[in-house]
Amino acid sequence: MGGSLPRSDALVEPVEQFVGALAPVLAGLAGATGSSRAGGLEEDAALEAYDLAAAFVDSDGRHSDDELWAFITAFAPRFATRLRQATPVHVRAAGLVAGKRAWLHKPSLLFDTLLQADLRNGTRHAWAYYEHAMLIAHTVVSLDAHTSHAELAALDGFRTMLLQALAAAGLRPVAGAPGGTTAARPVAPPEAVEGERLAAPRPLDELLGELDDLIGLDAVKAEVKLVADLLQVHDLRRQRGLPVPESTHHLVFTGNPGTGKTTVARLLAQIYRTLKVVERGHLVETDRSGLVAGYVGQTATRVRQVFDRAMGGVLLIDEAYALARGGERDFGIEAIDMIVKLVEDRRDALVVIVAGYPDEMATFLDSNPGLRSRFPKTIFFPDYSGDELLAIFAVMAAQDHYRCTRRARGKVRAFFDLQQRDRGFGNARLARNLFEQAIANQASRIVAMDAPDDDDLVTLTAHDIPD
């Protein structure tokens, strides 16, 4: 949606696209069933867009003039009786959008109709609905200068509901669908290489789906989706020449080892690329040893070199608090000073994530006056529960073509339950260590057997799980 449209016209194009894409589909479905309404279903598609837009106007309960003027401009030509000579005051007084947010809580009848038709006919019309509906949703949320948390939560809830319905029906993204949805999964290069030709950015829905597939981390997933939605809203405002609040994309990740910080950072790098925050979307990982040199003047050069490698992507500084541990004469302080400078100088060229234990990261952010303003957002990664660690263990086993007996799974769960959950609890690393010990034990058991069969070779028993 390019150009610089007046604010009241912002919804016109997304609504026209929604109706233009779905009305012919509904007419075709009606014609196939012999319905007499085969030629007159444009109003049904327009009413769906009306309800959707009204629901997002109501999602935070504010019903601002900017939202309502855009709503009136988009729908008055189609619903003259309802909106003739309407103003925001009239819409509020008539309650035309009040209470509409409940419409977002379950798939609509029209969406379900398209979904069932897709299952019967092998078509992809429900995906078209999803793509065009999300454009209307993001456009409505972009109308106010300040985007509320309630609006972002409504976006995430609506998207998740539709995607879950599509996944439950076995309908996957298709290459060339509106919005660039594709089944391809090109992997971003590990580091920037000058002149290298890049694969196309991965679709946002695919990346968020991969995020959802991660075990646990519900609060982390919600925060990442909030970041993604806000970026899309800001992009729509920017396209229309509307003011966009100044914001930084740099983040603080806190939590114990093995809680998925690197995995999420890698996904976030690709999300940032898809949303045009960074150009390449690769992840460069480093720590104190990669940033601090042993001689005066070398640390600044080393920090600059690491930033150079991360240009166009995301730089993850693990255990960043270690930079502040040596006191005023330590070269770690020189590294922090250089990080603060480069984060500012290159704020439009890369994103920096600093990670570590919660308490130590608070101390790190206080070690330089410029850090907190440049890293205002913190995402906390909690320890995994016993059930989540068992699921992680099972995934590791399945990936290497092993399966666990029921007693083996019970022993794995008991092992995790007995671990002391203190500072430094290993989480997924603990699960990896346990799995590697289990397959080593299984190998010792197998070589002592006279004639192991294929089932023996892929089965982990309770005897293989360390006590």
Side-chain angles (χ1 to χ4, degrees):
M1 194 171 67
S4 180
L5 298 175
R7 188 176 306 185
S8 60
D9 292 341
L11 262 176
V12 173
E13 186 176 346
V15 168
E16 292 302 314
Q17 289 180 3
F18 183 94
V19 175
L22 297 183
V25 174
L26 295 177
L29 293 176
T33 59
S35 170
S36 60
R37 300 192 64 221
L41 291 171
E42 182 172 324
E43 185 175 346
D44 287 356
L47 184 59
E48 184 85 359
Y50 176 99
D51 288 336
L52 174 62
F56 274 98
V57 170
D58 187 50
S59 61
D60 62 354
R62 291 190 299 188
H63 309 164
S64 70
D65 282 358
D66 290 336
E67 292 172 323
L68 294 180
W69 275 124
F71 181 78
I72 293 165
T73 303
F75 293 106
R78 294 184 177 274
F79 301 102
T81 301
R82 199 178 304 186
L83 292 171
R84 182 184 294 121
Q85 297 182 331
T87 66
V89 173
H90 166 262
V91 172
R92 293 188 193 100
L96 296 183
V97 297
K100 282 286 189 176
R101 74 188 77 171
W103 190 89
L104 301 174
H105 295 167
K106 63 180 182 179
S108 69
L109 178 61
L110 190 150
F111 176 77
D112 189 61
T113 298
L114 296 174
L115 197 64
Q116 297 307 314
D118 287 345
L119 291 173
R120 290 193 307 271
N121 305 324
T123 50
R124 295 278 181 167
H125 301 314
W127 273 104
Y129 177 104
Y130 167 78
E131 297 281 356
H132 290 293
M134 289 306 301
L135 179 57
I136 290 177
H138 279 104
T139 301
V140 172
V141 173
S142 75
L143 292 169
D144 287 331
H146 171 71
T147 304
S148 70
H149 190 276
E151 290 172 311
L152 294 175
L155 277 172
D156 181 46
F158 183 68
R159 175 182 56 233
T160 300
M161 176 188 69
L162 295 185
L163 290 177
Q164 287 177 345
L166 287 161
L171 298 177
R172 301 298 177 188
V174 59
T181 306
T182 174
R185 285 194 169 192
V187 178
E191 291 189 6
V193 178
E194 187 174 354
E196 181 181 350
R197 188 173 181 178
L198 291 174
R202 290 175 60 185
L204 181 62
D205 296 332
E206 182 182 300
L207 292 167
L208 294 180
E210 191 170 322
L211 179 72
D212 281 332
D213 288 343
L214 297 178
I215 294 168
L217 303 177
D218 289 345
V220 173
K221 295 171 185 176
E223 289 288 348
V224 171
K225 291 175 183 177
L226 185 148
V227 168
D229 282 326
L230 193 58
L231 286 171
Q232 291 176 88
V233 168
H234 285 176
D235 186 53
L236 284 171
R237 292 184 61 82
R238 196 174 291 110
Q239 289 180 41
R240 296 200 303 276
L242 298 174
V244 176
E246 281 289 328
S247 61
T248 176
H249 306 302
H250 309 303
L251 297 166
V252 180
F253 284 1
T254 64
N256 277 332
T259 47
K261 295 188 290 294
T262 301
T263 299
V264 172
R266 189 170 289 112
L267 274 173
L268 191 56
Q270 295 187 57
I271 289 171
Y272 277 147
R273 184 190 176 204
T274 297
L275 297 178
K276 302 178 182 179
V277 174
V278 297
E279 184 178 355
R280 296 183 55 85
H282 62 296
L283 179 71
V284 172
E285 301 176 61
T286 192
D287 55 17
R288 178 186 166 96
S289 66
L291 297 170
V292 176
Y295 299 95
V296 175
Q298 292 184 339
T299 292
T301 299
R302 185 174 288 189
V303 172
R304 188 178 287 106
Q305 289 172 344
V306 172
F307 270 73
D308 288 344
R309 285 165 40 210
M311 289 292 284
V314 171
L315 173 61
L316 174 64
I317 304 176
D318 198 16
E319 298 180 348
Y321 53 82
L323 295 170
R325 279 184 166 173
E328 293 183 3
R329 292 186 153 187
D330 185 79
F331 293 134
I333 300 300
E334 181 184 351
I336 292 174
D337 292 341
M338 194 64 185
I339 289 169
V340 170
K341 180 180 187 305
L342 292 177
V343 162
E344 182 63 28
D345 291 347
R346 306 187 185 186
R347 61 184 179 274
D348 296 326
L350 82 165
V351 172
V352 180
I353 300 174
V354 291
Y357 295 113
D359 292 343
E360 282 82 349
M361 289 307 296
T363 301
F364 167 75
L365 293 175
D366 289 336
S367 66
N368 185 292
L371 280 173
R372 284 201 178 272
S373 62
R374 289 166 175 81
F375 294 89
K377 186 174 184 61
T378 296
I379 298 179
F380 173 66
F381 288 67
D383 288 336
Y384 290 110
S385 69
D387 284 339
E388 290 166 348
L389 288 171
L390 175 59
I392 291 171
F393 184 97
V395 168
M396 292 175 179
Q399 287 173 342
D400 286 349
H401 304 288
Y402 288 93
R403 65 177 181 81
C404 298
T405 65
R406 182 179 59 81
R407 288 186 60 206
R409 291 175 63 89
K411 194 170 179 182
V412 169
R413 174 59 197 267
F415 177 91
F416 291 135
D417 287 344
L418 288 171
Q419 302 307 306
Q420 186 173 352
R421 290 176 174 271
D422 54 7
R423 168 192 163 85
F425 177 65
N427 288 286
R429 297 179 189 177
L430 179 65
R432 167 59 64 184
N433 293 340
L434 180 64
F435 172 65
E436 291 177 351
Q437 184 61 55
I439 59 175
N441 291 346
Q442 189 244 26
S444 298
R445 179 172 59 81
I446 291 295
V447 297
M449 298 173 66
D450 291 334
D453 57 23
D454 289 350
D455 192 55
D456 293 324
L457 292 173
V458 299
T459 301
L460 297 177
T461 71
H463 295 291
D464 302 324
I465 309 304
D467 292 327

